[in-house]
Amino acid sequence: MKKFVMAGLAGTLAGILATTQIAGPLLAQEAVNKASVYEQLDLFGDIFERIRAQYVEEVEPEELIEAAIDGMLTSLDPHSSYLSPDDAEQMRVQTRGEFGGLGIEVTQEDGFVKVVSPIDDTPADEAGIEAGDFITHVDGESILGLTLDKAVDLMRGPVGSEIVITVVREGEPDPFDVTIIRDTIKLTAVRARTEGTSVVLRVTTFNDQTFPNLQEGLKEQIEEAGGIDKVNGVVLDLRNNPGGLLTQAIKVSDAFLNEGEIVSTRGRDPEEGERFNATPGDLAEGKPIVVLINGGSASASEIVAGALQDHRRAIVVGTKSFGKGSVQTVMPLRGDGAMRLTTSRYYTPSGRSIQALGVSPDIIVEQPRPAPEPEEEEANARSRSEADLRGSLNNDSLSEDEIRQIEEDRAKAEATAELREEDYQLAYAIDILKGLSAFNPNGPSQ
């Protein structure tokens, strides 16, 4: 018994010694790190006082502190930033769907301001601003080296005022100026229409209005078509959609999925990750879906495209998306300000992160640039057919109903051809739905 007690004491003593040898250096290192942090804070205080006392011009202490906070956040990534009380209020207004400005979503890349996407039917969109454009000057003043928030502040101004931005665009040899009149931006989150027998849902942003707009718009189009059996599928157009609320992206994805994971988020602490799953119910009732994306599709748009693609619920068409795979949390601060901080990455149902990679479409379809106007003679020219020949035989083997059906089919084909000239990617998506419905004997006639 004495041997066992001695062995137990020896084991305890060895454990104490091991713990001391391991924990001691760790505690010492933690103390050193704390001392280093306090030294850096003391250094910050010294610099702050020197600026206040000796800078060539008098500066407001509050502005210095705000600049220091913003600099700390923007050094982390392009999407973390400090929001002053005015900026925080403007962000809340924008989330509700109406705000003043140019109508562009921007990010920062290598010190330059890059357009993620113009928003439909806004001054920037009407002025021809494109996703991927770089803005180098505002009213002749260079914005190189400014923080993103500072650059955005320069682009803000009273509704009705004029702004000149200098743009660098891939494929253009020289920078060029674009004049834009600022306006109140009223976002219509979803526009619904029917092309032939395909319902087109154009989703421009993900704000509080998105899912209700989509649900109501799809319902109206189905009713106008005469029921879901008269619809051959849905085109979900997410091109140039810069994203928005994660909750709305989840709802839009859930609208077309009956089950399975939609998206998961993972932060620094694995235990704080979240997983969001679909609930039963498909607004399209199993009809085929084509999702359109391009380089201006970011964030929430990529969540929807990735979820529907991974579940094989939709065919994704277009070009690679923007690649913003991080989640920002807006945290209120004292004094009515707020902090926008990147807190996690999101992953598609298959477990892939699209951060900096984007969603790759199943079918790559480029949107051709507008062709030059044809010459007048060429525009008026038309092809000749048998019916144009003198003395050609009439086709008397068809009934009036059959002839009318042929003419209606020809009119649909001509309408598709016109759409192809106007929006090639959308026409391609509609052609896919037509092809898929051709294999379904119970589908609507084309």
Side-chain angles (χ1 to χ4, degrees):
M1 184 65 181
K2 191 178 289 186
K3 290 180 181 178
F4 285 115
V5 172
M6 292 300 292
L9 288 172
T12 303
L13 182 59
I16 292 171
L17 288 172
T19 303
T20 304
Q21 288 172 355
I22 294 171
L26 289 178
L27 292 171
Q29 183 62 43
E30 186 177 349
V32 169
N33 290 340
K34 281 185 177 179
S36 177
V37 169
Y38 288 128
E39 287 175 4
Q40 293 293 315
L41 289 174
D42 286 340
L43 175 62
F44 173 80
D46 291 342
I47 294 172
F48 177 75
E49 289 300 331
R50 291 281 182 91
I51 292 173
R52 281 214 306 170
Q54 298 178 13
Y55 186 64
V56 65
E57 294 177 358
E58 187 174 348
V59 290
E60 293 294 330
E62 294 81 5
E63 292 180 2
L64 285 176
I65 293 173
E66 281 191 9
I69 294 171
D70 191 48
M72 178 169 56
L73 287 165
T74 55
S75 71
L76 301 173
D77 63 74
H79 308 294
S80 296
S81 63
Y82 170 72
L83 300 173
S84 67
D86 289 342
D87 292 339
E89 176 58 26
Q90 186 167 5
M91 187 205 66
R92 286 188 284 269
V93 170
Q94 182 171 344
T95 301
R96 292 194 293 269
E98 182 174 329
F99 58 97
L102 304 181
I104 51 175
E105 179 78 11
V106 294
T107 187
Q108 200 158 36
E109 186 174 297
D110 299 327
F112 294 95
V113 174
K114 183 179 182 180
V115 176
V116 175
S117 66
I119 300 169
D120 285 358
D121 301 325
T122 61
D125 181 44
E126 293 168 0
I129 299 299
E130 298 180 3
D133 285 348
F134 286 92
I135 300 173
T136 62
H137 293 73
V138 173
D139 289 331
E141 181 180 346
S142 174
I143 57 176
L144 180 62
L146 294 182
T147 66
L148 187 60
D149 286 340
K150 294 291 185 183
V152 170
D153 283 341
L154 285 178
M155 289 185 274
R156 290 175 180 154
V159 171
S161 62
E162 182 179 277
I163 180 176
V164 179
I165 61 174
T166 304
V167 173
V168 173
R169 178 176 297 166
E170 184 178 356
E172 295 290 338
D174 300 308
F176 57 93
D177 291 339
V178 179
T179 301
I180 305 175
I181 305 298
R182 297 180 178 94
D183 199 358
T184 299
I185 310 301
K186 295 182 180 180
L187 295 181
T188 302
V190 182
R191 294 183 177 88
R193 73 180 195 273
T194 299
E195 293 282 350
T197 52
S198 304
V199 176
V200 179
L201 299 173
R202 170 73 181 125
V203 184
T204 59
T205 188
F206 286 86
N207 61 25
D208 291 333
Q209 306 170 19
T210 302
F211 177 71
N213 285 177
L214 181 140
Q215 186 177 34
E216 184 63 27
L218 180 58
K219 179 182 177 183
E220 289 178 357
Q221 296 303 310
I222 291 173
E223 288 177 352
E224 289 178 10
I228 192 67
D229 292 337
K230 301 296 183 180
V231 172
N232 70 1
V234 174
V235 176
L236 191 62
D237 188 353
L238 301 178
R239 292 173 298 175
N240 293 331
N241 183 322
L245 300 177
L246 174 64
T247 53
Q248 290 293 312
I250 292 168
K251 288 182 178 180
V252 170
S253 302
D254 193 8
F256 302 108
L257 294 172
N258 280 308
E259 61 181 1
E261 182 181 311
I262 294 172
V263 66
S264 61
T265 61
R266 305 175 203 171
R268 182 172 18 173
D269 185 352
E271 295 183 359
E272 294 180 356
E274 291 187 274
R275 192 179 303 272
F276 302 91
N277 296 313
T279 56
D282 178 359
L283 295 183
E285 298 185 28
K287 290 289 182 177
I289 298 174
V290 175
V291 176
L292 282 175
I293 60 172
N294 64 4
S297 306
S299 189
S301 300
E302 295 171 297
I303 290 175
V304 176
L308 298 183
Q309 184 182 54
D310 281 2
H311 283 288
R312 300 292 187 267
R313 181 64 186 91
I315 298 173
V316 179
V317 173
T319 55
K320 185 174 74 70
S321 63
F322 185 75
K324 181 182 177 295
S326 59
V327 180
Q328 283 69 48
T329 302
V330 178
M331 305 173 183
L333 300 174
R334 65 183 69 182
D336 295 328
M339 175 174 64
R340 184 168 48 210
L341 186 66
T342 300
T343 52
S344 59
R345 288 183 172 89
Y346 65 75
Y347 295 79
T348 68
S350 63
R352 57 183 169 140
S353 169
I354 62 167
Q355 175 61 28
L357 297 176
V359 174
S360 296
D362 299 306
I363 304 174
I364 296 176
V365 179
E366 298 280 351
Q367 182 80 306
R369 293 193 176 275
E373 292 292 330
E375 297 292 335
E376 187 174 348
E377 292 182 5
E378 182 184 342
N380 292 332
R382 70 180 184 88
S383 60
R384 293 171 59 82
S385 68
E386 170 74 13
D388 296 318
L389 300 178
R390 180 178 299 180
S392 62
L393 299 176
N394 293 324
N395 190 334
D396 54 4
S397 64
L398 298 175
S399 67
E400 290 185 2
D401 288 340
E402 289 172 327
I403 293 173
R404 184 167 55 252
Q405 183 62 49
I406 290 173
E407 290 175 346
E408 288 177 358
D409 291 343
R410 182 182 296 130
K412 289 180 181 179
E414 290 173 353
T416 301
E418 290 178 6
L419 180 62
R420 193 172 287 110
E421 291 294 325
E422 177 186 336
D423 190 339
Y424 183 80
Q425 290 175 323
L426 178 58
Y428 195 103
I430 291 172
D431 284 343
I432 289 175
L433 292 179
K434 288 181 178 180
L436 291 173
S437 66
F439 289 97
N440 180 11
N442 298 320
S445 61
Q446 297 300 305

